[in-house]
Amino acid sequence: MDNLGIIFGLIGAALATFMAGTGSAIGVGRAGVAASGVLAEDPSKFGKVLIFQLLPATQGIYGLLVAFLILSNIGVLGGDPNISAAKGLLYLAASLPIAFSGLFSAIYQGNCSVAGIGTISKRPDQFGKTILLPAMVETYAILALLISMLAVFNIPGLNL
Amino acid sequence: MKKDYTYAVARIRSRELSLLSRKDIDNLIGAKSYDDCLQYLYDKGFGDDGQDSDVSALLAAERKKLWSLMAELTDDLSPFDVFRYADDFHNLKVSVKAVTRDINPDGMFMQNGTVSGEKIYEAIKAHNYKLLPEHLQKSAQQAMTTLLQTGDGQLCDVIIDTDCLNSIYKKANETDSEVIKLYAELTVAAADIKTAVRCEKTGKSLDFIFSALAPCESVNITLLAKAAAKSIEDIYGYLSTTSYSSAVDALKTSPSAFEKWCDDKLIDSIKPQKSEPFTIGPLAAYIIARENEIKAVRLILSAKLNDLDSDAVNERLRDMYV
């Protein structure tokens, strides 16, 4: 098949969006449930709990960014769509770090946000310290994003 | 699928802010009068719009609020039945005695059981035990038969109390909550130890003692019953070989000191639930903490009404959850 390259590339873009997005949806949803619980008792904490709820949303954005770059490089969004099967597979491999790390880090960041929401419902003065804890989980999503982006940026220069 | 309690736990975290702290308890003890205490409690949200000046009515309103909140937080209250069985069995006791002695039980029922006291009374009156929930059927039949045949109220109480403990233990072990299991374990073990001590003091037979004890994991009731049939020193000796060895000093002091030891142990054991965000544990811990708080308020208000000094109150006060 002549189109294998673009098929592999598209699968990579789909995985990055789907898996990281799913993780974010689970994390944001879980934190949203806890946030609703706090707001039912104390609506004045809306601003604080909203920030906690939004923390796991970033993985979905990272997945989208990597997918957009892949689509752009494989010619789906314009340009030359003739890429080799080997390059297509490389794009697929490049999408995996953000796909898997996005999925799991968003879920665990959501769990951590839920715990943080519980803490600030009792100790709103500890918001600054508490927000750092789920933010730590973000590190691993950023590392995965970095590797995925470095790979996607450098695949076109490879002579395959 | 395991039930998710994220929403309920988040609400409970906010509610924990309104639990009475040790500082609140000290303020209540230091209040000049009963009315000042009541005013402090109204300010903290106790009672229905500050209308209840009677201790029982005030605290009954608080327990009602607790269970209304739980019903609001979860669509299935059955995992919390272990906390409500005591009310069920109290109502059964009232009903059995009211029917056999032909007295009106109005005003004697507890309000937060799994079934209303009036329904239990109607079932007992009609001798139709199938109208009762399963956990009350056997107990109701046995208690009625015993009371009608022997007229022995104490034996009737023993049957109901032992079945109550057995039901709590059985129900708790059907759940997957460590807090609920721990509550049942401590409740049954503490009741067994208190029963053993009382039986030893009143010189009951080994058979009677054994029938009055409910089995649990942390206490071997055969050894406890044999010890109780001999002497109080044997009870202390047996307990020193169990996880209740540190309770021996409290037991030697007084029954109320032992009750305080049990409640403090329970409160101490549930404190890790303050950092658990997803399971039923924090809800169960909140129920225990609220009941503990109600117990403390009852003690303080009764002391104020009877002009007891604050040292006597402090001796009996339990540790608070927050």
Side-chain angles (χ1 to χ4, degrees):
Chain A
M1 280 173 74
D2 296 338
N3 300 327
L4 268 180
I6 202 166
I7 291 171
F8 286 137
L10 206 56
I11 291 172
L15 276 179
T17 317
F18 168 70
M19 291 180 72
T22 302
S24 282
I26 294 171
V28 172
R30 214 169 262 179
V33 169
S36 298
V38 172
L39 293 180
E41 298 293 330
D42 184 2
S44 71
K45 294 200 174 87
F46 175 71
K48 286 182 171 126
V49 297
L50 183 67
I51 293 171
F52 274 96
Q53 191 199 357
L54 289 178
L55 281 175
T58 51
Q59 283 85 341
I61 298 169
Y62 300 160
L64 177 75
L65 179 64
V66 170
F68 186 78
L69 290 171
I70 293 174
L71 291 178
S72 177
N73 283 7
I74 62 175
V76 171
L77 298 178
D80 182 14
N82 294 317
I83 59 160
S84 66
K87 276 196 177 177
L89 273 174
L90 288 177
Y91 281 119
L92 173 56
S95 72
L96 296 181
I98 192 59
F100 282 95
S101 184
L103 173 69
F104 292 112
S105 68
I107 293 171
Y108 284 102
Q109 194 172 37
N111 290 352
C112 205
S113 289
V114 170
I117 287 168
T119 305
I120 60 149
S121 71
K122 290 174 83 175
R123 305 282 302 271
D125 55 316
Q126 297 300 313
F127 177 74
K129 287 177 191 164
T130 313
I131 196 115
L132 279 177
L133 305 174
M136 290 292 169
V137 187
E138 190 78 14
T139 313
Y140 302 95
I142 291 171
L143 294 180
L145 173 68
L146 190 64
I147 294 303
S148 286
M149 281 180 67
L150 278 173
V152 172
F153 279 137
N154 290 292
I155 288 170
L158 297 175
N159 193 16
L160 291 167
Chain B
M1 195 175 150
K2 206 171 178 182
K3 199 166 165 25
D4 184 27
Y5 289 94
T6 308
Y7 173 81
V9 173
R11 282 192 68 180
I12 282 297
R13 291 283 170 255
S14 297
R15 289 288 177 131
E16 281 172 3
L17 286 173
S18 55
L19 285 173
L20 296 180
S21 64
R22 183 66 221 190
K23 193 179 160 201
D24 293 317
I25 294 295
D26 288 340
N27 287 340
L28 281 173
I29 295 171
K32 284 178 186 162
S33 65
Y34 176 79
D35 288 337
D36 286 349
C37 266
L38 278 183
Q39 191 53 53
Y40 190 89
L41 291 169
Y42 294 152
D43 292 345
K44 283 276 170 189
F46 270 63
D48 288 327
D49 304 322
Q51 297 300 312
D52 303 309
S53 56
D54 170 58
V55 180
S56 300
L58 178 77
L59 299 181
E62 285 311 299
R63 290 191 84 216
K64 199 175 168 189
K65 274 196 242 172
L66 168 66
W67 287 104
S68 301
L69 174 68
M70 287 301 146
E72 203 182 312
L73 291 181
T74 172
D75 48 3
D76 177 19
L77 278 177
S78 65
F80 304 114
D81 282 353
V82 285
F83 302 109
R84 308 201 292 161
Y85 277 178
D87 281 10
D88 279 348
F89 282 90
H90 166 87
N91 292 341
L92 176 62
K93 219 183 265 184
V94 169
S95 299
V96 167
K97 289 182 181 173
V99 168
T100 51
R101 289 168 194 171
D102 199 21
I103 52 173
N104 185 354
D106 285 352
M108 288 189 260
F109 290 128
M110 302 288 271
Q111 300 301 321
N112 298 297
T114 59
V115 60
S116 76
E118 288 76 14
K119 268 192 177 175
I120 296 176
Y121 177 69
E122 291 305 322
I124 298 289
K125 202 173 173 185
H127 293 271
N128 189 351
Y129 306 116
K130 286 187 177 164
L131 294 175
L132 294 169
E134 204 185 326
H135 64 280
L136 293 176
Q137 288 178 9
K138 189 179 126 238
S139 190
Q141 197 165 5
Q142 273 189 340
M144 272 298 279
T145 310
T146 304
L147 200 56
L148 288 171
Q149 286 178 355
T150 65
D152 187 343
Q154 191 188 30
L155 195 55
C156 169
D157 285 352
V158 166
I159 290 167
I160 293 176
D161 289 341
T162 312
D163 275 349
C164 177
L165 293 172
N166 285 330
S167 299
I168 288 173
Y169 201 73
K170 187 176 168 229
K171 184 74 185 175
N173 282 295
E174 285 169 9
T175 72
D176 54 6
S177 166
E178 287 306 313
V179 177
I180 293 176
K181 285 179 185 167
L182 179 75
Y183 167 80
E185 187 67 41
L186 279 173
T187 303
V188 175
D192 281 347
I193 294 169
K194 277 187 274 185
T195 304
V197 170
R198 270 202 302 270
C199 287
E200 190 279 329
K201 283 186 177 160
T202 50
K204 297 288 182 193
S205 69
L206 179 60
D207 286 344
F208 181 91
I209 300 169
F210 194 71
S211 68
L213 301 180
C216 64
E217 203 179 303
S218 56
V219 172
N220 181 329
I221 57 167
T222 310
L223 294 178
L224 182 62
K226 281 179 182 167
K230 287 180 188 164
S231 71
I232 192 79
E233 290 305 322
D234 282 283
I235 295 178
Y236 298 152
Y238 167 67
L239 289 179
S240 61
T241 65
T242 67
S243 55
Y244 302 98
S245 54
S246 53
V248 172
D249 286 341
L251 258 181
K252 284 177 182 170
T253 309
S254 68
S256 62
F258 176 67
E259 279 178 18
K260 176 179 155 47
W261 182 91
C262 295
D263 288 344
D264 287 351
K265 188 175 169 71
L266 183 61
I267 289 291
D268 195 45
S269 306
I270 63 170
K271 280 185 177 170
Q273 296 305 316
K274 285 181 189 173
S275 54
E276 168 54 55
F278 299 112
T279 66
I280 195 174
L283 306 186
Y286 181 78
I287 294 172
I288 295 168
R290 200 80 173 87
E291 293 284 4
N292 188 52
E293 177 184 280
I294 289 169
K295 218 183 270 185
V297 170
R298 188 190 306 279
L299 175 66
I300 295 168
L301 289 179
S302 304
K304 290 284 171 197
L305 273 177
N306 297 296
D307 284 330
L308 288 178
D309 70 284
S310 56
D311 288 344
V313 177
N314 271 318
E315 266 174 31
R316 288 166 175 78
L317 266 179
R318 276 76 170 146
D319 291 341
M320 305 307 284
Y321 182 58
V322 291

